[in-house]
Structure formats: structure tokens, C-alpha cells
Amino acid sequence: MSDATPTPTATPERPQLPAQSPPVDPAETAVASDKAASSGRLSWWRGDGGDGAKRNLGLIGVLAALIVVGAITKPDLYGDPTWVWNNVLAILQLASVVGVVTVGMTFVIIGGGIDLSVGAIVALAGVWCTTVATQNFGAGGMIFTAIVVGICVGLVNGVLISYGRLVPFIATLAMLVAARGLAASISNKQTQVSSSTFINDIAARKVIGIPILVYILGAVVLAGWVLLNRTTFGRRTIAVGGNPEAARLAGINVRRHTMLLYALSGLCCGIAAIMLTSQATSAQAAMANLYELDAIAAAIIGGTLLSGGRGTIVGSLLGVIIFATITNLFAINGLSIEAQNMVKGGIIVAAVLIQQFQYKSVTRLLARNRVTTA
């Protein structure tokens, strides 16, 4: 008879109770949440999210500096509040037409393109809408014609670039020459006078003391800001400009979107053609000369990258106002247009250099030098 070894009986383990956390002081929780929020705001300001705000503040600083220069050079004028207000309105009215064109140009550059034909499109739309046949349909027919001509020419640019695989620089340069030639052919190289009282009064009328042209600029800028920052179209524009291949793999029709960007630029040119025709009460093939350079320069000054993928409508507007302020400052001081163009050229070069050698790049370069020397 063998001895049987008794099997031990398993005793159930008592469940481990979670440790009780100490009571939390509501005051400490509030302080911690405030610190986290402030840290988040600081990280946003120091990171890429605050780059646009910092650039815009810098542009406002440039505007303030120009005002100070004007007050120093012409203290008698800047000491008169009425003259100052009228001068501000004059600057905004001067910037209105180029500002509308710049909104369309900003979208094109953010999307990775360039449009050298915007001035020629404005001229062609202005000449076409002031022909005798078009003016017979009244102001509505003139406005409709200018907008349709602008959109159609923009679509031609977009088709050539998107589906014809032409380089944007070459395609729009060819359109610049062709549109100017067509405008000269339509007008027979003559100035066409607008007989529409409604069109001519757009530049002359004021609402609450502010010119209607300024309201049009504000409406276009607001629409452009909403389109870029609050719609899928704007997000796709940034994606296409930043990395077209990645955008294509993400399901974006890059060709169609690029075509629409140039159509949008043409739409802005059509609106600008009506505004410019209203200011001059006429149109000719040589109107809007070098507007493409002014629009590109204003967009660059506003922080839009020439390589695409980044830019702001507010920054572009500030760039336009800066150039208009420089023009106004040179005019009241009796300086030559040549000197003004040289200053503008220097500002453009400085803006591009700032884009290429940003503060972060400089700090990284210094950090590498420290590591190498150590």
C-alpha cells in the first residue's frame, strides 16, 4: 500500500485593489491647465504655425516705418488729419486693381505655378468689353464679357500647362505676347472710350466716404481668404504646390486642379479689367503694363513661396499696400519713377533672400558649426 501524496488545494488570490490617488486640488489643476495652454500657444508661435502671423507683423512694421519716413519728410502734410485720411484712401484705391490681380496670382504660386500673362489678360478683357458691339448690351454685358474673357484665357493657360505639359513660365509668357497682340488687333491700336455711366462711376463713387474700388478689393480678398483657408479647394492647392506627386497619390486630380487655379487667376483679371476701365473711363492694349511683376512681387513680399506650397492672402494684401505706399511716398516727395523701381527691386531681392535663408536655417547652421568645432 503506497502512500498517496496529498495534492495541495489552490486558494483563490485576493484581487489587488487599485491604489487610491491622493485628492486633487482644483487650484493646482487650473494652474496646470493654464501652463499647458500657454505652452501650446508658445509652441504654436515658435513653430511653423506662427510663421504667417510673424511675417504679417513684420509687414505691418514695414508699413509703420514707411509712415514714419513720410512724416519725417513731409511733416506739414502728415500733420493734417484730413489729408492723412484722404491719402490713406488714395493708397487703398491705388492698390485695389493690383490687389485683385494679386489674389489670383497668390493661388497660382501657392499651387506651384506662375502667371506672367495677368497684365495682358487685364488689357484683353478691358479692350474686349469696351468694343462698340459689347457696349450695346450695357454695363451688364460689359462686366459679363470682361469676366468671361478673363476666365477663358486663364483656362487656356491651365490647359496648356496641365494637359499640354508646358512649363508655366513658357506658356504664360507666350500668352502675354498673344493676348497683347489680340488686344491691339481688336482695338486697332486705338483707345476705346467707355460710354457706360455705371462703369465709369465705379471709380468715382464712394459709400460712407470710402471708394467702391476699395470695397471690391475687400470683397475679393475676403473671398480668397475663405477659399484658401476654409475650403477643400484651398487645402488641395497647398497640397499640389507642396508635393504634386504626393497630392496625386492622395487622390487629387492635379491636372484639373492646376487648370482651375489659372481659371481663378483669369477671373480676378476680368474683375480688375472692369476696375481699371472705370478708373480711366477707357481701355487700350497697353493698359495694365507690368502688372504681372507687381502681383508676383506683392505675393513674394507677403510670404508666398515661389516654389509653392505656402502663402497667405492677408500677406499678399499687405505686400500690395506696401508697394502702393512706396509709390505714394515717392510721389509726394517728387522723386523719380526710376528711383522708385530700384527700391522695389531691392525689396523683392531682400524678400527672396529672407525666404531662402530663414532664421531657423541660420540657427541650424550655427549649431552645426559648434558641433564641428567641438
Side-chain angles (χ1 to χ4, degrees):
M1 188 172 183
S2 59
D3 295 335
T5 305
T7 57
T9 57
T11 58
E13 295 181 357
R14 297 181 63 183
Q16 187 71 22
L17 296 177
Q20 296 292 328
S21 58
V24 179
D25 187 1
E28 293 181 0
T29 304
V31 172
S33 61
D34 291 341
K35 287 183 179 180
S38 62
S39 176
R41 288 191 293 268
L42 288 176
S43 63
W44 172 84
W45 176 258
R46 293 169 181 170
D48 295 336
D51 284 346
K54 286 183 281 189
R55 282 193 301 271
N56 292 341
L57 286 176
L59 293 174
I60 294 174
V62 172
L63 277 174
L66 291 175
I67 294 173
V68 170
V69 171
I72 293 174
T73 55
K74 291 291 182 180
D76 52 336
L77 295 178
Y78 278 83
D80 184 1
T82 304
W83 182 91
V84 170
W85 172 245
N86 292 332
N87 192 51
V88 169
L89 294 180
I91 291 173
L92 293 176
Q93 191 164 3
L94 178 64
S96 59
V97 180
V98 180
V100 170
V101 175
T102 303
V103 171
M105 181 69 76
T106 301
F107 274 92
V108 171
I109 297 178
I110 292 175
I114 197 74
D115 193 351
L116 300 179
S117 64
V118 289
I121 296 175
V122 171
L124 178 60
V127 166
W128 207 317
C129 77
T130 53
T131 59
V132 176
T134 305
Q135 293 195 53
N136 288 334
F137 291 95
M142 294 175 66
I143 296 173
F144 177 80
T145 300
I147 292 176
V148 169
V149 169
I151 293 175
C152 289
V153 178
L155 281 174
V156 172
N157 280 335
V159 170
L160 291 175
I161 294 168
S162 301
Y163 297 95
R165 302 296 183 90
L166 289 181
V167 178
F169 181 87
I170 299 300
T172 56
L173 182 62
M175 182 58 71
L176 182 154
V177 179
R180 290 283 183 191
L182 182 57
S185 176
I186 292 174
S187 63
N188 198 21
K189 299 182 181 180
Q190 301 295 322
T191 300
Q192 297 183 163
V193 179
S194 171
S195 60
S196 172
T197 305
F198 179 84
I199 297 293
N200 297 341
D201 286 348
I202 292 177
R205 289 181 180 175
K206 294 183 178 180
V207 177
I208 319 179
I210 300 175
I212 293 180
L213 291 178
V214 178
Y215 286 107
I216 297 175
L217 173 62
V220 173
V221 168
L222 179 61
W225 184 89
V226 172
L227 187 62
L228 181 63
N229 297 281
R230 293 294 183 268
T231 65
T232 304
F233 184 87
R235 290 191 291 272
R236 288 179 177 176
T237 300
I238 296 173
V240 169
N243 193 328
E245 183 61 21
R248 185 187 66 82
L249 294 175
I252 299 175
N253 191 331
V254 176
R255 291 184 181 181
R256 184 180 65 186
H257 192 84
T258 301
M259 181 183 67
L260 292 177
L261 287 176
Y262 283 93
L264 177 61
S265 177
L267 170 63
C268 292
C269 290
I271 297 173
I274 293 296
M275 298 169 68
L276 193 57
T277 300
S278 174
Q279 284 183 319
T281 66
S282 62
Q284 56 179 334
M287 67 190 295
N289 188 32
L290 297 180
Y291 270 33
E292 56 275 358
L293 298 183
D294 290 340
I296 294 171
I300 295 172
I301 293 297
T304 303
L305 286 181
L306 278 174
S307 57
R310 192 185 76 183
T312 63
I313 299 297
V314 175
S316 296
L317 174 63
L318 291 174
V320 173
I321 295 176
I322 285 175
F323 278 123
T325 304
I326 292 174
T327 302
N328 176 267
L329 192 61
F330 274 64
I332 63 177
N333 283 280
L335 300 177
S336 64
I337 297 178
E338 293 78 11
Q340 172 185 327
N341 291 335
M342 287 189 289
V343 170
K344 286 184 177 180
I347 292 175
I348 296 170
V349 172
V352 174
L353 289 176
I354 291 172
Q355 284 186 359
Q356 291 182 351
F357 303 101
Q358 292 181 344
Y359 178 75
K360 290 182 180 179
S361 300
V362 175
T363 53
R364 288 172 186 169
L365 180 61
L366 293 176
R368 287 193 198 128
N369 290 337
R370 291 195 200 98
V371 172
T372 306
T373 54

